[in-house]
Amino acid sequence: MRIATIQRDHCRPDKCNFLCYRVCPMVRTGKETIVIDEELNKPIINEGLCSGCGICVKKCPFEAITIVNLPEEIGDPVHQYGVNGFRVYNLPTLRDGVVGLVGANGIGKTTVMRILSGELKPNLGEDAEWEKIVERFRGKEIQSYLEKLARGEIKAVYKPQYIDSIPKRVKGTVLKILKKGDETGNLDRIIEKLNLENSVHKNIRELSGGELQKVAIAACITKDADIYLLDEPSSYLDVKERLNVARTIRDITDRYVFVVEHDLIVLDYLSDYIHVIYGKPGVYGVISNIKSVRVGINEYLDGFLKSENMRFREEIKFEVRPPREKKEINEILSYPNLERKYDKFELSVNSGKIYAPEILGILGPNATGKTTFVRILAGDVKADNVDLDIELNISYKPQYIKPRKILVKSLKLKPELIEKFGLRHLMEKRVNELSGGELQKVAIVDCLSKDVNIYLLDEPSAHLDVEERLKLAKHMKKFAMEKEVAILVVEHDVLLIDYLSDELMVFDGISGVNGKASKPLDLRSGMNEFLKKMGITFRRDPETGRPRANKAGSVKDREQRGKGEYYYVG
Ligand code: ADP
Ligand code: ADP
Ligand code: SF4
Ligand code: SF4
């Protein structure tokens, strides 16, 4: 079955004068394979008449057209956004417990959530009444849910992915806002569980990203609803907060809970079941069968869905690596103990060495001085106790990136990195017009395009989907090896840190009050120290080697605690 999509926001007939129409060999032989919609002033491809030659795909100057062949058994879509629009196939299954969804950005996750919430009535490709929709899913677990949805008997609450705009829509102190919305009488308990006590008396405008995320989650789960839909609950939170949020969401009982999450450790810890959504971003998305969380995430990393017999990507491997021989690498920087005081904050860093090639992961709670340390090395901030004279050149990507008004192509990005990170189509755009994920990738490439010895990346995973995170990790490892440089990475995504890091620095302390940093440790010791402070144990999945958080109090958890093995390497 052939489908043709045109991404309308990319399509610019005013610039190309309908080049696709002019080059299509079928049109030339008089067929109406491509017609021009006079009203929209856009081309329309008739899928039934298209030969799939791919000429228009190659010629379109804005990469707007995609032609794909899908297996017949996939059937009709559940929803399609108009002619040649994006389509999503299949619906998830809802069960008791938490059902997670994992997949790339632009592949239909929000569309699925909008359908489940009742906001978007699926059209089965064209137009459909509820009767037909329910009929389509007869005998499936989702049938009775759809029947209730059709009768308007489902109350859904939704925590959106982008929370930054919340303070523009609601005003006042956090406690007042939350109290007004509380329908469960559980608010005090939730505030305590999410450690929001110090935030609730603030005005919502004064909150940090992490505080705002927790408030949005609290507002969602204190509603009395049939289904709770949470889109990326971990953004802006540190590791401890992520797991804490996961535990709080897991406490919801007798209701449906559906979560989209890109941090695989959090998703794993949070969910009982998983659906994978695969396909091509902006073109189509297919929801897999329901899988147990372990199998689902393993198959996702494997790139192969067993019960569907479907390969959608190459495998991603997690190797358990022994610490490297120091002989293989060069010391490029040795720094002394570092101290830095602000009015309300105090940082002390143990002396250490940085090698090349290496990736040094940096883990720790929010506001314990990670950025300050990085900025001391970069020469942006002076240490109080020593005059650090670093002769090495450092390139730095900050945590918050300024969306400047300049064109992407005016940045001096290295062509090979533009290709690797797939940024070619962004070159003509202005930096301030990019989406969060696009801006992040441009900032990373901008940082790596400088010829220096040390690269510092603060939270490169923010706004990236799980596919992009794993790709980023692969590129960074290769980059460090090939250029023989050191890359320092501050991150809260533990899977990414585990996958990336040769060595690890661990920060500890009271957020906003003080911070203490270890010297760089080998991955195993570093993780062990970090997890001990978090009070959580990790094991490795025997099939993929990926780290998994143990449920508190489980047999494995107690066994590992007993041995002091917080990070079981196997
Ligand atoms: P995700 O949540 O996985 O990022 P979405 O469900 O938001 O993906 O979007 C999937 C695709 O559908 C995107 O390519 C987007 O451009 C397209 N899309 C989303 N909403 C609409 C709409 N209202 N009209 C047309 N296309 C849309
Ligand atoms: P992290 O990167 O671990 O989140 P930061 O290094 O950004 O932590 O900040 C640590 C603490 O230092 C925060 O409480 C922050 O408010 C404080 N701080 C950072 N820079 C300054 C500054 N220039 N003046 C005063 N306080 C600062
Ligand atoms: Fe031009 Fe491409 Fe749009 Fe066709 S799809 S009109 S080639 S921009
Ligand atoms: Fe025409 Fe070939 Fe494009 Fe189909 S793929 S619309 S036949 S140019």
Side-chain angles (χ1 to χ4, degrees):
M1 185 176 49
R2 183 167 300 126
I3 68 165
T5 54
I6 303 178
Q7 279 171 276
R8 298 286 170 206
D9 48 340
H10 292 206
C11 171
R12 300 288 302 274
D14 55 321
K15 299 250 168 169
C16 74
N17 196 16
F18 294 98
L19 188 57
C20 50
Y21 177 80
R22 291 186 283 125
V23 297
C24 174
M26 301 298 276
V27 170
R28 288 184 174 188
T29 61
K31 299 231 166 59
E32 293 197 322
T33 305
I34 302 185
V35 291
I36 293 162
D37 184 309
E38 303 285 343
E39 217 170 286
L40 294 173
N41 197 35
K42 294 268 162 133
I44 290 177
I45 300 176
N46 183 331
E47 289 167 358
L49 297 177
C50 164
S51 71
C53 72
I55 292 175
C56 61
V57 178
K58 279 203 204 86
K59 292 282 182 184
C60 170
F62 301 102
E63 297 177 9
I65 307 177
T66 311
I67 314 269
V68 242
N69 288 314
L70 298 178
E72 287 297 331
E73 57 272 21
I74 205 164
D76 291 328
V78 169
H79 190 76
Q80 176 170 351
Y81 289 113
V83 189
N84 301 139
F86 175 87
R87 46 207 105 176
V88 66
Y89 294 86
N90 213 350
L91 277 179
T93 304
L94 295 173
R95 287 193 183 158
D96 282 345
V98 179
V99 178
L101 180 65
V102 60
N105 280 338
I107 203 135
K109 297 183 302 300
T110 310
T111 304
V112 170
M113 287 212 176
R114 288 178 63 212
I115 293 173
L116 291 178
S117 74
E119 183 199 322
L120 178 71
K121 185 175 146 202
N123 60 16
L124 304 184
E126 282 174 321
D127 200 14
E129 287 313 310
W130 273 113
E131 225 173 43
K132 210 170 148 201
I133 298 162
V134 172
E135 183 57 36
R136 171 85 180 274
F137 289 91
R138 186 159 301 283
K140 300 256 170 72
E141 281 177 76
I142 193 82
Q143 181 191 341
S144 65
Y145 183 84
L146 290 174
E147 281 166 355
K148 281 190 202 148
L149 207 55
R151 293 197 296 267
E153 289 170 10
I154 295 286
K155 181 177 170 194
V157 277
Y158 175 51
K159 191 218 61 84
Q161 177 186 5
Y162 292 106
I163 52 169
D164 315 41
S165 62
I166 295 174
K168 286 186 200 132
R169 286 183 280 118
V170 276
K171 306 243 178 281
T173 54
V174 172
L175 191 59
K176 243 192 193 158
I177 296 166
L178 289 177
K179 268 197 172 149
K180 210 172 142 201
D182 181 22
E183 296 171 353
T184 56
N186 286 337
L187 183 61
D188 291 343
R189 206 168 47 89
I190 301 284
I191 287 174
E192 193 190 325
K193 272 189 171 171
L194 294 176
N195 290 325
L196 273 171
E197 293 95 336
N198 293 327
S199 313
V200 288
H201 300 292
K202 294 186 190 170
N203 189 295
I204 193 142
R205 273 177 313 169
E206 294 165 21
L207 301 185
S208 69
E211 287 176 306
L212 198 56
Q213 181 69 267
K214 291 193 284 181
V215 168
I217 292 167
C220 175
I221 64 182
T222 48
K223 286 268 185 283
D224 183 18
D226 301 294
I227 182 165
Y228 299 88
L229 299 145
L230 296 130
D231 198 349
E232 289 193 46
S234 81
S235 310
Y236 305 109
L237 301 179
D238 62 38
V239 179
K240 194 168 199 160
E241 291 170 320
R242 286 177 188 206
L243 296 172
N244 204 12
V245 158
R247 281 191 282 266
T248 312
I249 295 171
R250 283 194 64 80
D251 281 347
I252 301 172
T253 47
D254 300 329
R255 309 292 161 106
Y256 295 121
V257 183
F258 189 78
V259 182
V260 167
E261 179 53 59
H262 293 298
D263 180 325
L264 290 182
I265 300 253
V266 174
L267 184 74
D268 188 18
Y269 192 66
L270 180 61
S271 316
D272 297 290
Y273 304 97
I274 291 281
H275 283 283
V276 171
I277 179 164
Y278 64 95
K280 200 168 166 45
V283 181
Y284 73 99
V286 186
I287 296 173
S288 76
N289 300 338
I290 193 162
K291 294 159 195 286
S292 77
V293 65
R294 188 181 84 85
V295 169
I297 294 182
N298 283 356
E299 291 189 5
Y300 183 71
L301 290 170
D302 205 6
F304 182 74
L305 304 171
K306 277 206 189 106
S307 60
E308 290 87 346
N309 192 22
M310 174 78 209
R311 173 152 301 283
F312 60 93
R313 180 190 8 78
E314 278 174 43
E315 178 186 5
I316 292 164
K317 279 202 183 104
F318 283 79
E319 293 157 42
V320 184
R321 291 153 292 164
R324 288 172 315 160
E325 292 278 332
K326 284 275 151 68
K327 278 179 282 180
E328 299 166 20
I329 47 183
N330 298 317
E331 179 187 317
I332 53 169
L333 171 67
S334 172
Y335 55 86
N337 288 343
L338 302 169
E339 310 279 339
R340 173 76 209 202
K341 267 197 189 114
Y342 289 119
D343 285 352
K344 292 181 183 156
F345 181 79
E346 218 174 306
L347 170 70
S348 84
V349 179
N350 279 349
S351 64
K353 292 186 165 96
I354 292 173
Y355 299 87
E358 109 170 327
I359 297 188
L360 175 59
I362 302 179
L363 269 173
N366 276 331
T368 50
K370 300 183 299 301
T371 312
T372 305
F373 165 70
V374 160
R375 295 184 66 202
I376 292 174
L377 290 191
D380 279 0
V381 169
K382 291 258 168 277
D384 296 332
N385 60 327
V386 283
D387 200 0
L388 203 58
D389 185 19
I390 298 179
E391 282 174 26
L392 297 165
N393 292 321
I394 293 181
S395 176
Y396 170 53
K397 184 204 80 69
Q399 182 179 18
Y400 296 103
I401 309 155
K402 273 202 202 101
R404 291 181 292 167
K405 271 196 180 153
I406 54 170
L407 284 171
V408 175
K409 70 175 176 193
S410 72
L411 299 167
K412 293 196 179 72
L413 306 182
K414 287 233 165 100
E416 74 261 25
L417 292 171
I418 294 176
E419 287 307 313
K420 270 199 182 127
F421 284 80
L423 303 181
R424 197 147 47 98
H425 66 290
L426 302 177
M427 289 298 122
E428 299 296 327
K429 288 195 177 176
R430 286 182 194 283
V431 174
N432 61 335
E433 292 166 354
L434 303 177
S435 73
E438 290 169 344
L439 181 62
Q440 183 68 265
K441 283 189 276 184
V442 166
I444 293 168
V445 167
D446 186 34
C447 175
L448 296 180
S449 289
K450 314 263 173 2
D451 280 314
V452 298
N453 320 79
I454 301 185
Y455 298 85
L456 302 169
L457 300 169
D458 199 346
E459 288 213 61
S461 81
H463 302 298
L464 297 189
D465 67 37
V466 52
E467 296 277 331
E468 292 168 324
R469 288 178 195 203
L470 296 167
K471 243 188 250 165
L472 168 75
K474 248 182 168 169
H475 292 329
M476 289 213 296
K477 276 174 139 178
K478 226 168 149 210
F479 184 88
M481 287 306 286
E482 281 172 5
K483 307 257 170 189
E484 299 201 9
V485 292
I487 308 183
L488 276 55
V489 186
V490 177
E491 256 303 332
H492 297 303
D493 183 328
V494 177
L495 193 96
L496 197 59
I497 281 281
D498 177 82
Y499 184 62
L500 265 177
S501 311
D502 297 303
E503 292 204 302
L504 207 56
M505 252 179 104
V506 180
F507 279 67
D508 185 24
I510 303 170
S511 292
V513 180
N514 58 48
K516 198 168 164 20
S518 74
K519 66 173 194 192
L521 301 161
D522 66 77
L523 186 62
R524 182 178 184 168
S525 320
M527 280 297 240
N528 216 25
E529 180 160 340
F530 174 71
L531 296 174
K532 202 175 208 166
K533 285 180 177 140
M534 293 279 126
I536 178 163
T537 59
F538 272 56
R539 68 190 180 287
R540 281 200 182 265
D541 180 71
E543 254 171 63
T544 55
R546 72 181 159 98
R548 305 186 70 198
N550 291 319
K551 304 251 148 77
S554 64
V555 176
K556 278 249 182 283
D557 182 53
R558 278 178 288 150
E559 198 181 291
Q560 286 181 226
R561 268 171 209 274
K563 287 196 229 157
E565 278 261 26
Y566 282 75
Y567 181 67
Y568 179 70
V569 184

